[in-house]
Amino acid sequence: MRVLIVEDEPELMSYLSLLLGNAGLVVDRTDSVEAALAALRTAPFDIAVVDRRLPDGDGLSIVKAMAKTENRPAFLMLTARDAKPDVIEGLNGGADDYLVKPFEPGELIARVRVLARRRHPKRSLVLNAGNLSLDLEGRNASVGMETLDLRRREALILEALVQRTGRVVTRDVLIEAVYGFDDLIESNTLEAQISRLRRKLRDAGADVEITSLRGIGYILKKVEPAF
Ligand code: CA
């Protein structure tokens, strides 16, 4: 799940990034209407958390500009203004939800989860592939009774692969699902994470494995029986 934060206050931005990152989302950050629109037109986002008061305009103009586009994210607006008309204006303007600052961290996460569920209603919260089970809410993976100790990005990689079990997932799709724009991706970062993940699956006795297709991507499939 990928989220774009549009906020011009550096402290609040760091706080929001930390909260949403810890909740298992891939976070990208922008601080103006213009930068947000550029980001939204460049990559698919599931959710955008948008401040109303931005240096170059009202955050609501982002919602309006994206209204008719195909990959419009769910918009959660933030505002310091607590005037009811402002909230009503936001919701009428096409925002999916509204949160007034200051807010409780738990409330932000809960609202983002509601938007995520609404966006992917059919996405089960527990995904299975063979004897591997991945709990998206708790970000836990287990094989039988054994829990895999996964780092955040390893869990995101596994999520992207399990959702497409048996199908090829290109390197670009994986990178988009796992990293934000600002993340420094060295050429072998993904490969290193995949190889750790592969080892963890094997050590836990998973009956699925990650196979590389050189130059194309990866596929999660049943372990071929050895003869
Ligand atoms: Ca602001």
Side-chain angles (χ1 to χ4, degrees):
M1 199 78 67
R2 193 162 172 177
V3 61
L4 180 69
I5 305 175
V6 191
E7 169 62 64
D8 60 313
E9 273 172 59
E11 266 180 37
L12 186 54
M13 171 64 92
S14 313
Y15 179 61
L16 287 169
S17 310
L18 191 70
L19 271 181
L20 294 168
N22 285 343
L25 291 129
V26 177
V27 176
D28 276 300
R29 298 178 277 194
T30 52
D31 58 5
S32 68
V33 171
E34 197 190 343
L37 287 174
L40 290 168
R41 284 168 182 151
T42 307
F45 286 91
D46 300 287
I47 294 165
V49 176
V50 181
D51 183 29
R52 283 291 298 268
R53 281 189 184 172
L54 293 166
D56 58 345
D58 184 340
L60 200 55
S61 65
I62 301 169
V63 180
K64 290 175 178 162
M66 293 299 290
K68 292 194 180 85
T69 60
E70 214 167 281
N71 53 358
R72 172 198 184 281
F75 284 101
L76 171 60
M77 308 307 290
L78 298 179
T79 185
R81 293 178 279 182
D82 56 0
K84 271 275 177 333
D86 206 44
V87 176
I88 294 165
E89 184 195 16
L91 296 172
N92 282 342
D96 298 273
D97 201 359
Y98 217 101
L99 201 52
V100 175
K101 298 184 216 172
F103 49 82
E104 292 291 320
E107 185 175 8
L108 172 79
I109 299 298
R111 284 173 185 261
V112 165
R113 288 223 162 103
V114 168
L115 291 177
R117 268 198 292 272
R118 213 186 287 160
R119 198 168 166 78
H120 299 288
K122 290 193 189 125
R123 190 185 282 185
S124 155
L125 290 176
V126 177
L127 298 174
N128 292 293
N131 62 359
L132 168 71
S133 165
L134 182 66
D135 174 353
L136 298 180
E137 196 99 355
R139 312 209 70 78
N140 286 315
S142 54
V143 171
M145 299 298 285
E146 186 167 348
T147 303
L148 302 188
D149 179 20
L150 298 183
R151 298 186 192 178
R152 192 171 72 87
R153 293 214 206 274
E154 291 167 1
L156 289 167
I157 292 171
L158 197 56
E159 178 182 335
L161 289 169
V162 171
Q163 275 166 350
R164 303 164 179 86
T165 301
R167 284 183 283 153
V168 176
V169 184
T170 63
R171 198 168 185 279
D172 288 348
V173 165
L174 266 189
I175 286 176
E176 200 152 79
V178 177
Y179 304 95
F181 293 133
D182 299 335
D183 292 325
L184 201 61
I185 312 169
E186 302 201 2
S187 60
N188 58 355
T189 306
L190 181 67
E191 283 66 29
Q193 281 161 340
I194 292 216
S195 94
R196 266 201 307 273
L197 197 49
R198 220 177 240 151
R199 195 173 54 239
K200 287 178 183 177
L201 288 173
R202 199 171 43 230
D203 290 351
D207 61 3
V208 286
E209 64 183 354
I210 302 169
T211 304
S212 325
L213 301 163
R214 195 173 287 278
I216 303 174
Y218 300 90
I219 183 166
L220 183 77
K221 59 187 187 67
K222 282 262 183 197
V223 175
E224 305 279 349
F227 290 104

